[in-house]
Amino acid sequence: MLQLSRYPFHTLKTVPQTSDNRSTGLLLQAGFVRQEMAGAYIYLHLGLRVLENIKRIVREELDAIGCSEILMTSFGTREHWETTGRWDTMDNLFKVEGASGKYYALNPTHEEIVTPLMQEFIQSYKNLDNCAVYQFQTKFRNEARAKSGILRGREFLMKDLYSFHRNSEDLDIFFEEVRKAYVRIYERLGLGESTRYVFASGWAFSKYSYEFQTDLGIGEDDVYVCSKCGQAHNEEIIDPTGFVCVECTSKEHFIVQASEVGNIFKLGTRFSNAFGLGYTDAEGKKQEVVMGCYGIGVSRLMGVIAEKFMDEKGLVWPENVAPFSYYMIVIGDHLEEAKKLAKKLESEGATVLIDDRNTGFGAKAGDTDLLGIPYRIVLSDKTLAQGGYEFKGRKESESRIVIL
Ligand code: ATP
Ligand code: MG
């Protein structure tokens, strides 16, 4: 349990006027994040807890389909980036100079690291049963316009998964498993109903790639939705002559603003061939390894959820991602009772923040709403005289007494 009397990150009285959307202001005011510079954010304790909750859900769903978590380096050698030709062609690549004039890349993505890494472990077809590795990693992109707070950073947290297969049929099967895992992830994050599966442009290997786009007024992307069958399309694949649905060929459509929260991509042999990653099949013949890659914007998701659910009083976190499930307000000399109750709730799987600061009820209740914690508990002389504590949901206006 966290006691606010021993916590350094206090809230602000008013929304700071530093950002271009309200949820970023609320995240600053409520003490979830601080901006270090344009496009780079520090996650304070509450913000980190939200990120960790998002990561937990992603991790559980990927582990359930047999993926293995690793942690790669956040910078990579110039040689690896030159091998794929992206040292010169990727326009947002951060390049840093090391000792003795050698250059490195701050990785914006990790194909250049994971492919040579897996070369040691993939030799035969036997090594390619469900070969999929992922990480949660800080990515660096020299974005021309870092804006919208944590929605688009120059430094941000991504989950990236890479899969390795004997052929494109195996990739197709695994790809579909990942797609379903993504659907479960967005559902558990509270975004199931507002997240669309969107056709986007692919590479030579496959006609399309696929994005997960959450409907959001401040989202950067225009998503074209077919009025007839509901299939969504990214702007890149809309023909200059006008919209034609790739599923049902209807021309009727509407456009929604959305934010890209993930994407899945068939890479084919682009990276395996660049690094010479192959395998020997059952007949002893050399074959090409076929790859897929799958991203989720973990820190962007925190911003999307904040923006999507906030109300006039402050942030509103879905239970699965909230930094704490209970905000416990203590009025008067009842800290010991509060701690006892918190321990009981924690033993049932809840997480509890105790507001034992030396301030009045109004300030505490205001912060409960600002922080967006799902449930508020009040322990005071008054509630104890009634035999318990007061309980209220963040979205409810009525409270009730729960008997202890
Ligand atoms: P976008 O189209 O938004 O620039 P992208 O197509 O470059 O993203 P990927 O490189 O596949 O995306 O990254 C995977 C995920 O990481 C994206 O779906 C998005 O959710 C997130 N992401 C990408 N760029 C940023 C950024 N600058 N800041 C925060 N999250 C990002
Ligand atoms: Mg994109």
Side-chain angles (χ1 to χ4, degrees):
M1 68 192 76
L2 173 73
Q3 270 174 255
L4 282 195
S5 64
R6 311 159 126 203
Y7 180 70
F9 306 117
H10 59 79
T11 57
L12 306 174
K13 290 228 159 55
T14 52
V15 186
Q17 295 302 313
T18 55
S19 63
D20 55 358
N21 60 64
R22 182 165 170 263
S23 58
T24 304
L26 290 175
L27 290 169
L28 289 164
Q29 189 189 359
F32 283 64
V33 299
R34 281 294 177 270
Q35 191 184 57
E36 172 64 11
M37 55 188 149
Y41 282 83
I42 293 167
Y43 290 81
L44 304 181
H45 186 63
L46 296 173
L48 180 62
R49 291 184 69 103
V50 174
L51 286 184
E52 292 298 326
N53 286 337
I54 297 171
K55 282 167 66 176
R56 179 176 40 79
I57 290 171
V58 174
R59 180 180 284 131
E60 284 174 8
E61 294 298 341
L62 295 184
D63 289 352
I65 58 168
C67 305
S68 306
E69 185 173 354
I70 61 174
L71 179 58
M72 290 180 270
T73 55
S74 46
F75 70 163
T77 66
R78 175 177 183 160
E79 290 73 33
H80 282 165
W81 284 91
E82 280 180 339
T83 299
T84 59
R86 294 207 284 187
W87 179 262
D88 292 317
T89 56
M90 213 169 210
D91 51 9
N92 58 14
L93 189 66
F94 270 113
K95 297 168 183 175
V96 291
E97 193 181 343
S100 71
K102 247 180 104 124
Y103 275 87
Y104 303 87
L106 294 180
N107 298 323
T109 178
H110 276 69
E111 285 84 1
E112 276 77 357
I113 319 303
V114 78
T115 314
L117 168 75
M118 295 313 287
Q119 219 161 4
E120 180 189 343
F121 303 98
I122 297 170
Q123 275 118 31
S124 112
Y125 68 99
K126 292 178 193 152
N127 306 132
L128 286 167
D129 279 326
N130 220 11
C131 184
V133 297
Y134 72 96
Q135 66 174 346
F136 295 96
Q137 176 67 269
T138 300
K139 305 286 190 195
F140 299 91
R141 292 186 184 178
N142 200 358
E143 303 274 2
R145 297 162 304 136
K147 53 171 202 157
S148 312
I150 58 174
L151 293 183
R152 180 170 297 283
R154 294 204 168 94
E155 171 181 328
F156 61 98
L157 187 65
M158 194 204 285
K159 182 285 300 169
D160 44 329
L161 162 69
Y162 305 89
S163 70
F164 302 83
H165 307 275
R166 295 185 189 106
N167 50 49
S168 58
E169 291 75 34
D170 282 9
L171 167 61
D172 289 349
I173 293 166
F174 185 75
F175 198 80
E176 179 58 15
E177 276 189 58
V178 177
R179 190 191 66 76
K180 287 186 192 147
Y182 272 40
V183 170
R184 289 192 293 273
I185 288 166
Y186 297 116
E187 222 153 71
R188 290 177 65 184
L189 293 172
L191 300 172
E193 277 168 27
S194 54
T195 301
R196 299 168 197 272
Y197 184 61
V198 178
F199 283 55
S201 56
W203 271 345
F205 185 78
S206 67
K207 193 161 177 209
Y208 301 115
S209 69
Y210 307 88
E211 296 171 345
F212 289 80
Q213 292 267 7
T214 303
D215 292 1
L216 197 71
I218 62 161
E220 286 180 41
D221 294 355
D222 282 341
V223 170
Y224 289 65
V225 185
C226 173
S227 311
K228 202 167 157 210
C229 75
Q231 180 56 56
H233 310 60
N234 180 309
E235 197 168 18
E236 321 162 330
I237 63 162
I238 304 303
D239 200 85
T241 57
F243 176 88
V244 180
C245 178
V246 299
E247 274 291 293
C248 75
T249 71
S250 167
K251 291 192 164 119
E252 298 293 311
H253 69 281
F254 56 94
I255 299 173
V256 288
Q257 289 303 116
S259 179
E260 183 190 317
V261 289
N263 64 22
I264 58 180
F265 214 105
K266 294 180 186 178
L267 296 171
T269 56
R270 157 101 164 79
F271 294 96
S272 46
N273 283 351
F275 286 100
L277 167 66
Y279 72 96
T280 25
D281 66 16
E283 279 82 53
K285 276 215 308 265
K286 202 89 185 122
Q287 301 285 355
E288 297 179 313
V289 169
V290 176
M291 288 173 60
C293 75
Y294 318 82
I296 287 186
V298 174
S299 50
R300 177 179 290 179
L301 269 166
M302 175 172 156
V304 167
I305 293 169
E307 175 73 23
K308 191 146 197 85
F309 298 110
M310 67 184 177
D311 64 12
E312 68 291 347
K313 293 184 205 152
L315 298 163
V316 180
W317 299 105
E319 266 188 78
N320 283 347
V321 298
F324 289 92
S325 34
Y326 289 92
Y327 191 111
M328 197 180 282
I329 295 179
V330 187
I331 303 292
D333 194 15
H334 299 297
L335 183 56
E336 288 318 307
E337 283 112 317
K339 283 184 172 171
K340 210 173 128 198
L341 175 58
K343 280 211 178 97
K344 180 169 167 277
L345 292 167
E346 284 177 347
S347 73
E348 294 160 2
T351 46
V352 184
L353 176 158
I354 301 178
D355 190 349
D356 58 341
R357 290 173 303 172
N358 199 10
T359 51
F361 176 78
K364 294 183 179 188
D367 275 354
T368 321
D369 288 338
L370 175 63
L371 265 51
I373 310 287
Y375 302 107
R376 184 185 88 182
I377 283 176
V378 183
L379 261 178
S380 67
D381 287 346
K382 215 170 95 191
T383 68
L384 286 164
Q386 292 172 268
Y389 57 86
E390 187 197 276
F391 177 90
K392 188 179 93 61
R394 171 64 176 78
K395 300 289 282 179
E396 293 161 13
S397 49
E398 299 293 313
S399 63
R400 62 176 190 275
I401 291 290
V402 177
I403 301 300
L404 272 168

